[in-house]
Each structure stands twice: as C-alpha cells, then as structure tokens.
Amino acid sequence: NAGVTQTPKFQVLKTGQSMTLQCAQDMNHEYMSWYRQDPGMGLRLIHYSVGAGITDQGEVPNGYNVSRSTTEDFPLRLLSAAPSQTSVYFCASSPLANSPLHFGNGTRLTVT
Amino acid sequence: GENVEQHPSTLSVQEGDSAVIKCTYSDSASNYFPWYKQELGKRPQLIIDIRSNVGEKKDQRIAVTLNKTAKHFSLHITETQPEDSAVYFCAASKGAGSYQLTFGKGTKLSVIP
C-alpha cells in the first residue's frame, strides 16, 4: 500500500492564482481531511469528509473548497490564492472514528 | 468547540533524562487522545494513543496518562535519546465517536547528547 499520497510536494503561486492540491489514499478509509501547518500554530483542520459525497468545514475553511467523488480521492482547491495561504498542507485519513490519522508527506505552498 | 492547550512549547533535556509534555482539553465528551511525533520536514506520525476508558498506556520508553476528571493528559518519555528530538503534538477527539481531531500547538523537544 502507498498509504496517503499528496501531490505536488512544492508549489509557488502568485496572488490570485488558483490551484488544486491532490490527495489519494489506497487504504479504503472513509474519513479524509486537510490540515494546514503554520509555525507555532499546530495543525488546523480546513475541511473533512466522512465518505464519498459528504464534506464539511473545519476550523479554517475560508478560501478553500473540497469535493469527494470517490473514496480514494479528496482534492483541495484554492480559489484565489493569498499570501496568508502560504503554509504546509497535510492530507490525512483514518478508517474509523477514534482511530489514528494517517498523514501524507505534505505540500509546501508559497504564495507571493 | 474543542480547545487543546499544550505545554511547554519547547523542552531541552540531557540524554538519558525523562521528558514530560502536558495537554489539557475543554470538551468533556472527548474520548480519544493520540500523540504524534514530527521530525523536521517530515509528516506527523502516531507514537501512542489512549482512549477514555484507560488511565495509562505504555509502549517501551513512551507512556501516556489520562485524567478525565481534570481533563488533562501527558506524554512521558524515559531514557531520552538524540533521535527523540522532534516536535510532539497532542490531540483530542471532537466529542465522542468523532473522526475529527483538534491538535495542540506542539512541543519542540531537544535531547542534548
């Protein structure tokens, strides 16, 4: 199993550009989520999904969209990038409630 | 919503000493408490977790204790080694039976040889 795969690893955007961060898992996990990690702020939940066709907002959803058309994929879309979205983004999945999250390797995004 | 406070934010210990990191949470319905270790430039990885029906759990040099009454839980690392140097995050489930986790802000542990 590859686990949780994120692409790209690095990305530089200009203010106002849009892009999609990809996340795929091959463990048949129902739950998938996106976190952003900023220095001194820990991991903050952006959006999450408990199954195909179901998504919901986390703690910091503004400026981001998600969709879950299949169990495997959970892309994160930045609609109009802003410098405040410069961060490291982690996708994570888990099979059950109250079970460990499996993280991808992260995407480092810089918005200039 | 759930709020998780983690202390200290930085911790330096001599190799061989013990390290303790403490977290408090606000939602009395939370029932799952994992700890993650993140090495520089890497993804967070689970090192130990505990559920609310257990007061303590050990795995070799690592232990976690949970006090549900006081709403706090702690990570204990004994006989620290240089490879224990990393950032450690605690987390709490957002209520009972929830997939969502709320993370603390992290503790940077440095083990001095």
Side-chain angles (χ1 to χ4, degrees):
Chain A
N1 286 350
V4 180
T5 302
Q6 288 184 239
T7 56
K9 291 184 179 180
F10 302 94
Q11 183 69 52
V12 179
L13 291 177
K14 297 190 176 188
T15 298
Q17 288 185 316
S18 62
M19 79 157 295
T20 299
L21 279 62
Q22 301 292 344
C23 176
Q25 52 93 8
D26 61 359
M27 298 173 285
N28 202 32
H29 287 175
E30 287 298 320
Y31 179 77
M32 296 186 74
S33 55
W34 279 100
Y35 286 86
R36 61 177 288 173
Q37 184 174 31
D38 303 292
M41 297 297 293
L43 293 148
R44 293 183 292 169
L45 182 64
I46 305 171
H47 284 286
Y48 65 96
S49 168
V50 297
I54 306 169
T55 63
D56 208 343
Q57 297 180 350
E59 180 185 356
V60 288
N62 292 341
Y64 308 95
N65 271 358
V66 292
S67 60
R68 184 94 179 270
S69 56
T70 66
T71 299
E72 294 78 20
D73 298 301
F74 191 46
L76 178 72
R77 296 182 185 85
L78 280 69
L79 309 173
S80 177
S84 61
Q85 294 179 305
T86 293
S87 188
V88 179
Y89 292 84
F90 286 100
C91 179
S93 71
S94 69
L96 299 168
N98 292 347
S99 65
L101 283 175
H102 299 252
F103 284 87
N105 286 327
T107 296
R108 184 174 294 274
L109 176 68
T110 302
V111 183
T112 61
Chain B
E2 175 72 280
N3 184 45
V4 177
E5 299 283 340
Q6 183 172 348
H7 299 281
S9 56
T10 60
L11 179 61
S12 291
V13 299
Q14 293 288 334
E15 182 177 358
D17 287 349
S18 295
V20 180
I21 303 170
K22 299 182 179 180
C23 289
T24 60
Y25 60 98
S26 60
D27 188 347
S28 57
S30 296
N31 60 356
Y32 177 62
F33 308 92
W35 286 88
Y36 288 83
K37 175 184 180 182
Q38 186 179 29
E39 297 176 350
L40 190 62
K42 301 288 181 65
R43 61 185 171 179
Q45 294 197 294
L46 180 79
I47 55 171
I48 196 167
D49 58 5
I50 192 167
R51 290 174 175 79
S52 59
N53 57 346
V54 175
E56 183 177 2
K57 184 177 179 180
K58 288 184 179 179
D59 183 2
Q60 299 182 1
R61 297 185 296 109
I62 294 172
V64 56
T65 58
L66 172 65
N67 184 327
K68 286 218 73 181
T69 302
K71 290 190 282 187
H72 68 71
F73 57 112
S74 300
L75 178 71
H76 304 254
I77 305 174
T78 59
E79 300 173 16
T80 53
Q81 301 167 3
E83 51 264 39
D84 294 328
S85 296
V87 178
Y88 292 81
F89 292 96
C90 64
S93 62
K94 192 174 180 182
S98 172
Y99 286 94
Q100 292 184 63
L101 292 177
T102 300
F103 284 82
K105 293 184 177 180
T107 296
K108 183 177 181 181
L109 174 65
S110 300
V111 179
I112 304 164

